[in-house]
Each structure stands twice: as structure tokens, then as C-alpha cells.
Amino acid sequence: MAKILPILSSQLNIFFIFSFFFIIFISGEAHGFAKALDEKLFGLNEEKFTHLRLFWHDILSGTSPTAVQVVPPVANSSTAFGLMNMIDDPLTEGPELSSKMLGRAQGFYAAASQQEVGLLMAMNFAFIKGKYNGSTFTVLGRNTVFSKVREMPVIGGTGVFRFARGYVQAKTYKFDQNSGDATVEYNCYVLHY
Ligand SMILES: *[C@@H]1O[C@H](CO)[C@@H](O)[C@H](O)[C@H]1NC(C)=O
Ligand SMILES: *[C@@H]1O[C@H](CO)[C@@H](O)[C@H](O)[C@H]1NC(C)=O
């Protein structure tokens, strides 16, 4: 009896282990909404690394502004805390607005700091040129606009930029203190497929 018990228990163990896998298999089939895919079939075999240099134009003045205030700042904030602007800003190849149009930066920025002018930027760079036409990537990050260079993460993308990750470096090219109009150079470093 003492000899039979361990054998019996090991057989029981095996039985339970198999039942366990069987249940996983069955439940996997029953809820077949998710399955593993072959990355190569989706063209995900070679990651690319792309640098894009473009100029971002934030125009608040004039009759057709590209940035519009949708939430005013709280009263008496020296950092415009609470302000929120919705943007549809042109992205061009050169610093002049008349240079080649590459796409638009669509989203918003909001003043999120009470100590300095620090923006939360949330925008999609939507491209219209060549093989990038129709593709987007998303920039979400902190922008202390009076710093020389501000770095923000690229957190995803579509089209050519599927699975995008990376960062942008923003550098003010021109800023008009009276109107608030700004031209900012964006150097984008993006990993994608
Ligand atoms: C804002 O500042 C003005 C002038 O200093 C003051 O009269 C007013 O009460 C302040 N408002 C708030 C909400 O603190
Ligand atoms: C970009 O794509 C749109 C929609 O597919 C198309 O109408 C437009 O002509 C394209 N532009 C360029 C420059 O390829």
C-alpha cells in the first residue's frame, strides 16, 4: 500500500496537469477573439529609424488663426495655468510658412505648470507628402516653451509610422511676444516599421 500511494499520486498529478492544459485549450477555443500572429506577414520584420525635420507654425493672430483658445487660464496666473488651445498648425519643410507644406499638427496644448510656462502637448502630426501621405504619429509630452530645446516622446503612429516610438526635439525659431505667434523647429527621431 505504501508503495502504491506515491505511484497513484504521481498519476493523479499527471492527470491534473493534462486537465489544466486541456481546460486552457478549450477555453482558448471558446473565446477565440485573440490569436498569435506571424509578425512577418504584417511586414514587421525590419524596424526603420527616421529623422524628420520640420517647422511648426502656431498662429494666434489674424483672421485665420491655427491655434484657438478653448479654455482660459485661471485668474492671475503668471504662467497662464489652465489655458488650453486647440491647434491645427501647419508643418512645413522650411521656416517660412510659404515653404513646402508637409502636413499638420492637430491636437491641443494646455498650460500645466504653476511654476513656469510648461505646456502639456498632445498632438498628431498628420502628413500629406509622398509615402508619408495619410500617416500620422503622436507627440505627447511636456514643453517648457522658454527652454532652448524641449524633448517630448513620440508614443505611437499609423500607416508608415505603425508601432512608432521615439522623441522630438523642439527649438523655437521665431516668437512674437505681442501676438503669441511662434515658429518652432521640430527634429523628430522615430523608430517604426
Ligand atoms: C487678481 O489680481 C487683482 C489685482 O492684483 C486683484 O484685484 C484680484 O482680486 C485678483 N483675483 C484673484 C482671483 O485672485
Ligand atoms: C494624399 O492622399 C489623399 C487621399 O488618399 C489624396 O487625395 C491626395 O492626392 C494625396 N496627396 C499626395 C500629395 O499624394
Side-chain angles (χ1 to χ4, degrees), residues 3-191:
K3 269 182 185 171
I4 293 169
L5 264 180
I7 292 167
L8 203 66
S9 87
S10 77
Q11 277 174 342
L12 272 177
N13 277 345
I14 287 166
F15 173 74
F16 280 123
I17 287 166
F18 273 102
S19 320
F20 182 65
F21 281 117
F22 188 66
I23 287 163
I24 286 183
F25 180 71
I26 290 289
S27 57
E29 284 294 295
H31 301 285
F33 62 90
K35 62 179 177 188
L37 293 175
D38 184 350
E39 291 174 33
K40 289 187 181 68
L41 292 179
F42 278 72
L44 304 179
N45 25 28
E46 198 196 328
E47 202 168 27
K48 300 174 191 74
F49 186 39
T50 304
H51 170 222
L52 303 99
R53 177 174 183 255
L54 31 92
F55 288 83
W56 176 96
H57 303 267
D58 200 45
I59 305 160
L60 293 109
S61 66
T63 51
S64 47
T66 63
V68 175
Q69 184 180 304
V70 289
V71 181
V74 298
N76 293 353
S77 169
S78 60
T79 62
F81 184 64
L83 165 83
M84 188 165 154
N85 282 2
M86 197 61 66
I87 63 167
D88 186 7
D89 285 350
L91 298 169
T92 60
E93 191 171 56
E96 302 310 322
L97 190 54
S98 56
S99 70
K100 195 201 250 178
M101 182 77 78
L102 301 177
R104 307 192 78 87
Q106 299 175 332
F108 67 85
Y109 55 79
S113 171
Q114 292 181 298
Q115 281 74 45
E116 61 191 314
V117 181
L119 304 180
L120 160 70
M121 309 290 292
M123 54 187 177
N124 296 313
F125 282 12
F127 293 91
I128 56 165
K129 273 287 172 288
K131 70 168 178 172
Y132 299 107
N133 188 18
S135 296
T136 69
F137 62 74
T138 302
V139 176
L140 179 73
R142 179 170 183 260
N143 185 0
T144 52
V145 293
F146 295 117
S147 305
K148 195 161 188 288
V149 180
R150 294 87 69 184
E151 189 165 306
M152 290 168 270
V154 170
I155 60 163
T158 65
V160 165
F161 295 114
R162 281 179 185 168
F163 292 100
R165 59 205 164 95
Y167 62 96
V168 300
Q169 288 180 327
K171 202 159 67 173
T172 303
Y173 176 82
K174 201 168 73 183
F175 177 60
D176 183 327
Q177 264 183 328
N178 297 319
S179 65
D181 291 357
T183 302
V184 179
E185 178 182 345
Y186 271 77
N187 279 285
C188 315
Y189 299 88
V190 186
L191 283 167

